[in-house]
Amino acid sequence: MAQVSYFVISPNALVSAYGLLYGPDRTVATPAEDWHQAIVDVVIPALNEADNIIPCLASVLRQTFKPRQIILIDDGSSDNTIELAKLFAESNQIKLIAIQRDHSIGKTPTIKRQSREFDSDVEFILDGDTILESETYIERTVQELYQGAGIASACGTILPLRWRDRKRILEWPTIRKFAKREPRMVHMPRTNIFHRLLRGITTMYREALYMFLQKFVYLGQMVMFGTITNPVGCAVAYRRKFVKDLFDRYEPIFGDDLTNSEDIFIGFAMLAKGYRNIQLQDVVARSVEPEAQGLPRQVYMWSSSFLQSCYYFDSLLRSPFKVCKRYWHERKGRKEHREKIRQMRKIDEPYRQPWGYDYTDKYGRPIGWTLFMSAVEKVFFPTALLIMTILQLWEPLVITVAVETAIAITVLVIVSKGHRLEFFIKGVLITPIRYLYILFDLLTLIRFSLDIWIRGDRKWRK
């Protein structure tokens, strides 16, 4: 998810702050379709999720908006993920379609195949290690998906799954009922205190990071542009037809090798088409985080996928250089648009813009400002810190780090209503980890450069 550097003194942070101060598009949406009639299929990609699949399925059962069916794709698990899922489904009369693969082929083919093989209106992707904490999560994302014809995806706020969340989830009625029938199948993950500590470090770091990104940066982007760069792929509702059309376009070019994180590529592709990716603040899902030693790989996957998507969708990144051209085009088109709407029923939609890749190539998109500045940040900030260290410019380095840390913690405390002291402490504790991963982005940049200009290796796939 966190494909932009968590560095507060940045152009993107200023744009988000401006968006929050300026306010949203006040156009009142008049949807052409009724979201209550939407057919929703929940697709659960899973690989060795025996510890998580029962809470995952139970969270779907609790939803106020019931899906037509649940499709579990076991991607070659070596544990009893699929057996547990079938037992739980049988115990609770769940309509479960279970597909078991002999070996892992990745998440991208799963999303592609289900968009083609089923006829739902909404393809809801829920990772096997993710739990929908809010009972209205599916309802709200589907509702938001239908607020405009140009909305391609909708997700809620994603937070780490903590140990205390697991204990609470095991008390849900459906899980307790299953535990009585299969007592050996329901338990807290078997792990020692050392591994819990390693996961706890990751959880603390990610909780603070996600709060800052989603409650400030992404919220500001939503207000300013009506979209975020990409959905958070562990619990997201897609317009199935849009996803199918996307793969029909890009599969002949890339096959299944999109990028190292499919949700970032999908998000960029939707933006290039002129669609929007929505994030909601009022519903929450929680996802299992890796142990601390697994963080570098996950950070690399997200960061490299962002760079890879920038490479593929460079017309979006050039948007700031086309702003004047876009302004005059839109100004000229307003008169023509007013004439058209007199002759046809008007359907209002906030942040509405022309659709099509050709328009993006010629005029760019407003959200392109965020993508361009994110790419600059990824190169400039780690490089600047490294140069100051190499040249032993200790005074400016210390001042930069101190001021940035103070602002970061201040913003984090402001957005963490009800938990401000907790997040103040977490903000202080995670600062060394945060700077370590800002510098780690340099290694990602080097690897990306080698892939592009030296090895010519673009077989990127999650």
Side-chain angles (χ1 to χ4, degrees), residues 20 92 121 132 148 169 197 208 213 215 230 326 416 424 444 453 462:
L20 292 171
N92 290 278
D121 300 308
L132 303 176
I169 288 167
L197 176 62
L213 285 172
K215 299 296 185 182
N230 60 271
R326 184 168 64 248
S416 305
F424 171 79
T444 304
W453 292 299
K462 185 174 181 179

Side-chain angles (χ1 to χ4, degrees), residues 6-188:
Y6 179 23
F7 197 91
V8 178
I9 306 174
S10 69
N12 262 326
L14 294 176
V15 168
S16 292
Y18 177 76
L20 292 171
L21 292 172
Y22 182 79
D25 184 333
R26 290 176 173 78
T27 303
V28 178
T30 54
E33 299 175 272
D34 182 5
W35 65 271
H36 295 88
Q37 306 303 318
I39 298 172
V40 180
D41 285 344
V42 173
V43 179
I44 304 178
L47 176 61
N48 295 327
E49 297 294 352
D51 286 338
N52 306 306
I53 194 63
I54 289 176
C56 176
L57 289 170
S59 73
V60 177
L61 279 183
R62 299 173 72 242
Q63 294 298 299
T64 54
F65 192 107
K66 303 301 181 185
R68 176 179 64 177
Q69 59 195 0
I70 302 172
I71 306 158
L72 173 66
I73 312 296
D74 186 293
D75 197 33
S77 295
S78 57
D79 62 10
N80 61 338
T81 296
I82 199 160
E83 290 81 4
L84 279 173
K86 288 179 177 179
L87 281 173
F88 185 77
E90 180 187 347
S91 175
N92 290 278
Q93 291 82 51
I94 302 174
K95 186 177 181 181
L96 178 72
I97 299 174
I99 300 171
Q100 189 170 22
R101 295 176 179 149
D102 293 332
H103 63 281
S104 176
I105 63 173
K107 186 176 175 182
T108 300
T110 295
I111 298 174
K112 177 187 69 177
R113 291 180 183 182
Q114 306 320 308
S115 71
R116 290 173 173 171
E117 294 173 5
F118 292 89
D119 62 350
S120 62
D121 300 308
V122 177
E123 182 179 11
F124 189 94
I125 303 297
L126 178 63
D127 285 359
D129 64 354
T130 302
I131 288 88
L132 303 176
E133 182 172 89
S134 302
E135 296 180 12
T136 57
Y137 192 102
I138 294 179
E139 177 181 336
R140 286 288 294 117
T141 51
V142 172
Q143 180 183 8
E144 196 66 28
L145 206 59
Y146 277 72
Q147 292 306 299
I151 299 176
S153 69
C155 64
T157 300
I158 309 299
L159 294 172
L161 181 68
R162 302 163 298 188
W163 194 257
R164 63 178 178 270
D165 297 319
R166 284 186 177 276
K167 289 184 176 180
R168 174 172 47 83
I169 288 167
L170 291 184
E171 295 301 316
W172 287 352
T174 51
I175 297 181
R176 292 183 66 181
K177 174 186 172 184
F178 182 68
K180 289 180 180 178
R181 174 181 168 179
E182 303 285 348
R184 292 181 298 175
M185 300 295 185
V186 180
H187 52 77
M188 295 291 284

Side-chain angles (χ1 to χ4, degrees), residues 156-289:
T157 300
I158 309 299
L159 294 172
L161 181 68
R162 302 163 298 188
W163 194 257
R164 63 178 178 270
D165 297 319
R166 284 186 177 276
K167 289 184 176 180
R168 174 172 47 83
I169 288 167
L170 291 184
E171 295 301 316
W172 287 352
T174 51
I175 297 181
R176 292 183 66 181
K177 174 186 172 184
F178 182 68
K180 289 180 180 178
R181 174 181 168 179
E182 303 285 348
R184 292 181 298 175
M185 300 295 185
V186 180
H187 52 77
M188 295 291 284
R190 295 185 176 94
T191 182
N192 59 41
I193 192 168
F194 177 70
H195 289 285
R196 282 184 60 185
L197 176 62
L198 290 175
R199 197 178 299 278
I201 292 171
T202 303
T203 299
M204 179 179 66
Y205 165 67
R206 284 284 170 72
E207 193 171 20
L209 173 64
Y210 291 174
M211 284 292 289
F212 175 83
L213 285 172
Q214 296 177 107
K215 299 296 185 182
F216 174 57
V217 177
Y218 295 172
L219 178 59
Q221 291 175 7
M222 276 292 304
V223 173
M224 188 72 181
F225 303 112
T227 182
I228 57 176
T229 55
N230 60 271
V232 186
C234 62
V236 55
Y238 291 109
R239 288 268 194 154
R240 184 196 60 82
K241 183 179 182 301
F242 289 1
V243 176
K244 177 183 176 299
D245 291 345
L246 183 152
F247 280 106
D248 289 346
R249 176 183 177 88
Y250 289 108
E251 185 185 33
I253 304 171
F254 305 121
D256 290 331
D257 297 323
L258 302 182
T259 66
N260 286 334
S261 187
E262 85 298 326
D263 52 348
I264 296 178
F265 181 94
I266 291 173
F268 273 59
M270 296 302 186
L271 296 178
K273 181 73 173 181
Y275 298 150
R276 295 188 284 133
N277 305 303
I278 303 300
Q279 184 172 49
L280 304 174
Q281 298 287 318
D282 58 336
V283 287
V284 175
R286 291 190 177 271
S287 186
V288 176
E289 298 294 337

Side-chain angles (χ1 to χ4, degrees), residues 395 420 462:
E395 186 175 348
R420 286 176 172 157
K462 185 174 181 179

Side-chain angles (χ1 to χ4, degrees), residues 324-388:
C324 293
K325 190 176 183 180
R326 184 168 64 248
Y327 171 78
W328 288 111
H329 172 77
E330 291 175 353
R331 184 176 180 181
K332 180 182 177 182
R334 286 192 191 107
K335 289 185 179 180
E336 299 175 4
H337 179 67
R338 281 196 290 267
E339 290 298 322
K340 287 180 181 179
I341 62 176
R342 290 192 186 102
Q343 303 170 21
M344 59 188 292
R345 179 187 174 196
K346 182 180 178 182
I347 299 175
D348 280 329
E349 180 179 344
Y351 305 99
R352 193 161 193 166
Q353 54 185 320
W355 298 331
Y357 299 105
D358 292 340
Y359 182 91
T360 304
D361 292 338
K362 193 171 183 180
Y363 300 108
R365 301 284 177 182
I367 190 63
W369 281 91
T370 291
L371 302 177
F372 173 76
M373 290 185 294
S374 297
V376 171
E377 289 171 24
K378 276 209 170 289
V379 176
F380 175 75
F381 289 141
T383 304
L385 293 175
L386 183 63
I387 289 173
M388 283 190 282

